[in-house]
Amino acid sequence: MDPRAMIFGFSVQADGRVIELDWEAVKQLDVIGVNQWHWVHLNRLSPEAQAWLRERGAPDDQVLAALLQEDTRPRIVRHEDGFLLNLRGVNLNDGANPEDMISLRMWATEHYVITTRAHRILAAEDVRDLFRAGNPPDSSGSLISLIVKRLVARMGPVIAEMDDEVDELEEQLLTTSTTTSRASVSAFRRMVVTLRRYMSPQREALAGFLRDSDEFLVGDDRHSLRDSQDALIRLLEDLDMIRERALLLQEQIVEQRGEAMNARLFVLSVISAVFLPLGFFTGLFGVNVAGMPGVENPLAFGMLCLAMVLFALLIVWLFRRLRWI
């Protein structure tokens, strides 16, 4: 776990110059700069970062709780002169599952944006690289639009990979045992459901942000956020299609297992039908009473066996004639 309180921070001057901040500068930062705006990205698990938020960063307890709470779902809420945003991004860290989406919490006003996270978010680092390259967004509203754009863009390859995976599962269903395929499809469906659980409310949150941010988002920022929302909707539609295909695969596996079971039961039924009368004859001729025909004839046993073989062949022929087998 990253022990640092601040992951990175920047101040953008009125002329567009970018100043990268260290932790000491952030601790003395005037978040209401007239001719500049700031972005501070913090590790919410750090006690030092939590203390700074209580003392200087968060204007009240509601903002503080939103930036530090343990479990959240995507939402965007207007609060006094700013916005509280809880968004999710796919987990692309080494050894992690993409569906275990990482929460990015934000408090955004005209003069500053504070973001907090517990685990590394590559989308935030994409935007950080623009600041370091001297190409920052024009305003805090532009920063929010850009972060949302990168979060959605990072989801695209994950959804595409899942689409390829469901193609592979369909192929495996035709070439491997249904037991293996069923386990794979079940795990895959859980992954799809988990991913959609966070992406769907994020779509609604972005729609609400577009409705309530007339002064905060203007011009290209609003168009960019709307494009990101449209891209997210398309990804959700793709995810719904993947989920339906996975459900059909699971139903097909159940159907194949049922057909295989019925085929085995049919074979057992045919075998039983053939050997049931033979069992009657062997039981009849095996009784230990006087008067059984052929008891004194040395050829009687061979003749009985031959008769039973012929009778079994007759039953098989009759079943085939009746199209039962």
Side-chain angles (χ1 to χ4, degrees):
M1 191 65 65
D2 193 339
R4 295 176 296 167
M6 186 184 74
I7 312 304
F8 49 78
F10 301 95
S11 286
V12 180
Q13 308 301 308
D15 58 2
R17 289 186 302 112
V18 178
I19 301 175
E20 186 162 1
L21 306 172
D22 58 22
W23 181 232
E24 292 302 322
V26 169
K27 288 193 289 187
Q28 305 299 323
L29 185 65
D30 179 11
V31 294
I32 311 297
V34 176
N35 295 319
Q36 58 186 343
W37 64 274
H38 317 285
W39 177 28
V40 180
H41 189 50
L42 301 176
N43 176 8
R44 69 175 178 85
L45 300 181
S46 168
E48 195 173 1
Q50 295 173 8
W52 181 82
L53 287 171
R54 292 188 185 95
E55 296 170 3
R56 297 179 59 87
D60 54 42
D61 291 340
Q62 184 175 345
V63 174
L64 179 65
L67 292 174
L68 297 181
Q69 64 184 345
E70 187 63 29
D71 191 20
T72 65
R73 71 191 306 270
R75 67 187 183 100
I76 297 179
V77 178
R78 183 157 200 153
H79 180 69
E80 295 182 354
D81 62 341
F83 288 89
L84 284 168
L85 304 95
N86 288 330
L87 300 177
R88 292 270 181 162
V90 289
N91 192 344
L92 300 177
N93 295 310
D94 295 337
N97 297 319
E99 69 272 16
D100 297 332
M101 301 186 76
I102 305 172
S103 177
L104 180 66
R105 297 94 183 278
M106 291 181 271
W107 167 240
T109 69
E110 180 183 357
H111 299 288
Y112 67 102
V113 176
I114 298 174
T115 56
T116 64
R117 56 78 163 165
H119 304 281
R120 182 185 181 195
I121 298 181
L122 297 184
E125 296 183 4
D126 293 341
V127 181
R128 174 205 63 189
D129 294 340
L130 294 177
F131 278 82
R132 289 180 174 173
N135 298 311
D138 297 331
S139 63
S140 56
S142 298
L143 173 60
I144 299 301
S145 298
L146 189 55
I147 290 176
V148 171
K149 180 179 180 180
R150 293 309 307 161
L151 286 172
V152 174
R154 288 283 184 175
M155 296 175 185
V158 175
I159 304 300
E161 185 176 347
M162 295 175 71
D163 190 49
D164 293 338
E165 186 172 350
V166 77
D167 288 339
E168 293 178 4
L169 288 173
E170 288 175 341
E171 184 176 353
Q172 290 175 9
L173 187 60
L174 301 176
T175 58
T176 62
S177 66
T178 56
T179 301
T180 301
S181 297
R182 185 180 184 184
S184 300
V185 171
S186 296
F188 181 76
R189 284 196 66 206
R190 285 194 297 271
M191 180 174 63
V192 173
V193 170
T194 303
L195 193 59
R196 195 184 187 284
R197 174 188 173 192
Y198 293 109
M199 289 178 60
S200 183
Q202 189 148 305
R203 172 190 58 191
E204 304 303 325
L206 293 180
F209 190 40
L210 283 168
R211 289 194 303 268
D212 299 337
S213 57
D214 291 338
E215 303 87 7
F216 194 72
L217 292 175
V218 294
D220 292 340
D221 300 337
R222 179 169 292 275
H223 294 316
S224 176
L225 190 62
R226 186 173 289 110
D227 289 342
S228 298
Q229 183 193 21
D230 292 340
L232 182 60
I233 291 173
R234 288 193 298 271
L235 291 177
L236 277 169
E237 291 172 348
D238 292 341
L239 200 60
D240 287 338
M241 181 62 68
I242 292 171
R243 184 181 61 175
E244 292 299 323
R245 290 175 64 189
L247 180 60
L248 290 175
L249 278 175
Q250 198 165 38
E251 292 176 351
Q252 186 177 354
I253 290 170
V254 172
E255 182 179 348
Q256 286 186 356
R257 288 172 63 88
E259 291 177 353
M261 182 64 69
N262 291 336
R264 295 186 184 101
L265 290 175
F266 177 74
V267 171
L268 292 176
S269 300
V270 171
I271 294 173
S272 299
V274 171
F275 282 93
L276 182 62
L278 299 181
F280 168 75
F281 286 125
T282 56
L284 179 64
F285 281 92
V287 295
N288 190 17
V289 295
M292 292 297 300
V295 173
E296 305 298 334
N297 189 347
L299 300 178
F301 179 73
M303 294 174 61
L304 178 62
C305 291
L306 179 61
M308 287 192 295
V309 169
L310 293 176
F311 186 78
L313 292 176
L314 177 64
I315 293 176
V316 173
W317 175 82
L318 181 61
F319 283 177
R320 291 182 63 86
R321 183 69 180 269
L322 295 174
R323 299 176 185 258
W324 290 3
I325 58 174

